[in-house]
Amino acid sequence: MPSDLTPVQFADLAESIAREAAALAARRRVEGVEVADRKSSIVDVVTAADREVEALVRARIAEARPDDAFFGEESGTGAGTSGITWVVDPIDGTVNYLYGSAEYGVSIGVVRGPADPTSWEPIAGVVVQPATGVVFRAAAGEGATRDGVPLHVGTPASLAETLVATGFGYTAERRRQQIAVLAGLIGEVRDIRRGGAASLDCCAVGVGTVDAYYERGINPWDMAAGSIVAREAGAETRIWEAGGTRSFLFAAPAVADELADLLRRLEESVLAG
């Protein structure tokens, strides 16, 4: 393939790879899931399928784009010389995958620059939901789609009418802090949703089935592709740091600033004790 692709061409390549990876993940789920390791805590699992799917994705990217950098959840980084980085979560929502839930996705994001959400330039993102076959995709400047249908974020009239998705970390201390923040938030918004896969939560913002998604401490691979889908569907991003950990918010423009301010204040209060 040419060394310089358009965002749409990058999205085409990412979609082709993600579809193949999704088929492998779904096949392995039918055959039975094996927990291969635990990471930050006993509940932070990695399956053999996570590793196998990432190996497939990494190999396909290397075949098509040998000069690009790679940043994956399971196999780490690979240096490149093109300035392009592929940010990959082979099975986002591994616990859902382990339990047989449909709420997991193959997430492939393409960015210019390092694998850092505060400095990268989004190019393309694809999230495939293997259990349903749904494909979310976006290319910079070209909008976002679900199975080819254009996406647009919701238009909540106020913070009180805002449906918010969130997620939780894997350590007990972070979870306690996140629940304390939710205790202050839930009386200010319509309701809270917890799906268990950051990539799909970001895509839900783009679809408009939630108005915002926020989480403290998510990793670049968790949200690279999904955040591009949300952004191209009209969502705004807010990033801030509290207690040495970044928080991310992807939200409908009408409530992004107000919700970010509220969450920041709640986090600072909880962390202050």
Side-chain angles (χ1 to χ4, degrees):
M1 299 188 74
S3 58
D4 294 317
L5 303 182
T6 67
V8 170
Q9 289 172 319
F10 271 115
D12 288 342
L13 177 57
E15 181 178 343
S16 174
I17 296 170
R19 284 181 179 274
E20 183 181 1
L24 175 59
R27 188 162 66 249
R28 293 293 182 258
R29 184 65 194 78
V30 171
E31 294 169 354
V33 178
E34 172 192 349
V35 175
D37 201 359
R38 289 171 171 82
K39 296 185 280 189
S40 63
S41 75
I42 194 171
V43 297
D44 186 7
V45 297
V46 56
T47 69
D50 283 277
R51 293 174 174 173
E52 186 180 8
V53 173
E54 180 157 311
L56 171 66
V57 172
R58 189 164 189 167
R60 294 291 182 266
I61 293 169
E63 290 167 4
R65 302 278 306 174
D67 297 327
D68 292 353
F70 181 90
F71 189 76
E73 178 175 14
E74 308 305 337
S75 60
T77 62
T81 58
S82 67
I84 303 297
T85 303
W86 293 71
V87 187
V88 173
D89 193 337
I91 299 177
D92 180 38
T94 298
V95 173
N96 288 347
Y97 183 71
L98 179 66
Y99 276 77
S101 167
E103 293 299 304
Y104 70 94
V106 175
S107 173
I108 301 179
V110 189
V111 302
R112 194 178 309 279
D116 181 347
T118 63
S119 60
W120 70 33
E121 177 189 340
I123 297 175
V126 173
V127 179
V128 176
Q129 192 173 3
T132 63
V134 170
V135 177
F136 300 95
R137 92 173 235 166
E142 300 293 336
T145 60
R146 177 180 61 182
D147 292 339
V149 178
L151 300 182
H152 303 284
V153 297
T155 55
S158 68
L159 193 60
E161 298 165 276
T162 298
L163 186 61
V164 180
T166 193
F168 303 118
Y170 288 108
T171 65
E173 180 60 26
R174 178 165 292 173
R175 287 180 171 189
R176 292 188 187 100
Q177 293 168 348
Q178 289 168 322
I179 288 295
V181 170
L182 281 185
L185 178 67
I186 196 164
E188 306 297 326
V189 298
R190 184 187 294 276
D191 208 344
I192 303 294
R193 296 289 182 266
R194 196 288 201 253
S199 62
L200 294 176
D201 286 334
C202 286
C203 291
V205 176
V207 174
T209 51
V210 297
D211 299 308
Y213 161 65
Y214 91 95
E215 189 168 343
R216 183 168 181 258
I218 56 174
N219 296 296
W221 55 75
D222 295 319
M223 38 72 71
S227 67
I228 297 171
V229 172
R231 167 181 161 158
E232 285 296 317
E236 294 186 1
T237 302
R238 300 290 184 269
I239 305 172
W240 64 92
E241 187 172 305
T245 301
R246 289 176 184 166
S247 291
F248 295 84
L249 170 69
F250 311 97
V255 295
D257 285 333
E258 187 177 4
L259 184 54
D261 288 343
L262 174 59
L263 287 167
R264 190 182 296 111
R265 291 197 306 272
L266 289 169
E267 285 185 356
E268 290 171 351
S269 176
V270 167
L271 291 172

